Amino acid sequence: MDVRVIRYDHPDARKLDEEVQVEYAERYGEGDLTHMDAAHFEPPRGLYLIAYDTDGTPVASGGWRSQERSEEGYEDGDAEIKRMFVVRAARGRGLARRILAALEDSAREAGRVRMVLETGTEQPEAIALYTSSGYTPVTKFGLYRFEETSRCYAKLLTDATGAADATDATGLTGLTGAPVRPSVRP
């Protein structure tokens, strides 16, 4: 498995985004209407990762983008998780958990205080991943904050003193233990 930092507008990212939109439509009746731009995920204000199988096939993705206090319910220092997705054929291998940990490390290193995400009741496996990873329910935020099926979660990236939490914040590591590197692919 190879995890790479990729631009959100990269063809592989677009392919995975199309697949996740189909899944959202199957589960909720429509895709995600949240506005997103590749610039949202550019370091140091964000990051987008794709995991590639040994044959070079993109099989999982996830990103975070900076958010600040707004009328949509975000708080200063938030890092919002977006487009966490694993293709059906690659599920059950721990890819989402590995990407989530890398995103948390990246956001922490960028000085973000809290990781936040919005998911829904039709994604019980996502809710299970986040709650088992230390995320707790919070007041709803974002585009879907008034939707009954929406569920929002957060996890502090620092302790009460402002220090990084006890997880390894030494740097991003790929699924093989190698540093996550920018993609050299077009």
Side-chain angles (χ1 to χ4, degrees):
M1 214 40 74
D2 183 25
V3 176
R4 301 180 197 160
V5 175
I6 300 287
R7 282 188 48 90
Y8 182 66
D9 57 2
H10 184 281
D12 290 342
R14 304 303 331 141
K15 178 184 175 206
L16 289 176
D17 191 60
E18 288 171 11
E19 287 187 49
V20 75
Q21 293 298 332
V22 168
E23 188 153 332
Y24 290 154
E26 290 170 359
R27 293 180 186 225
Y28 297 100
E30 67 180 348
D32 183 358
L33 302 176
T34 304
H35 171 73
M36 294 195 310
D37 186 284
H40 294 166
F41 300 97
E42 289 181 10
R45 306 254 327 132
L47 185 74
Y48 192 78
L49 301 174
I50 292 183
Y52 290 86
D53 217 338
T54 54
D55 67 359
T57 302
V59 294
S61 65
W64 70 267
R65 61 185 184 171
S66 295
Q67 294 286 2
E68 303 301 337
R69 183 178 304 274
S70 73
E71 68 275 354
E72 286 193 340
Y74 297 101
E75 297 294 333
D76 290 341
D78 280 352
E80 180 185 23
I81 294 173
K82 296 301 293 179
R83 294 303 183 263
M84 285 288 296
F85 179 67
V86 178
V87 299
R88 287 181 172 117
R91 292 180 184 166
R93 294 196 233 165
L95 296 174
R97 192 170 302 281
R98 292 175 180 166
I99 288 176
L100 181 61
L103 294 175
E104 289 172 356
D105 286 346
S106 169
R108 186 180 301 107
E109 289 172 6
R112 299 279 92 191
V113 176
R114 182 176 81 145
M115 193 68 102
V116 299
L117 64 98
E118 187 271 337
T119 188
T121 57
E122 300 305 309
Q123 294 170 270
E125 62 284 331
I127 292 170
L129 167 69
Y130 298 127
T131 57
S132 71
S133 298
Y135 287 77
T136 58
V138 294
T139 303
K140 291 181 184 181
F141 56 83
L143 180 65
Y144 295 103
R145 65 191 178 279
F146 302 116
E147 296 294 324
E148 185 176 323
T149 60
S150 173
R151 298 293 182 268
C152 293
Y153 295 86
K155 178 179 180 178
L156 289 179
L157 297 175
T158 59
D159 65 18
T161 66
D165 72 9
T167 60
D168 177 18
T170 59
L172 288 176
T173 56
L175 297 178
T176 61
V180 174
R181 63 187 183 281
S183 172
V184 294
R185 295 171 61 183

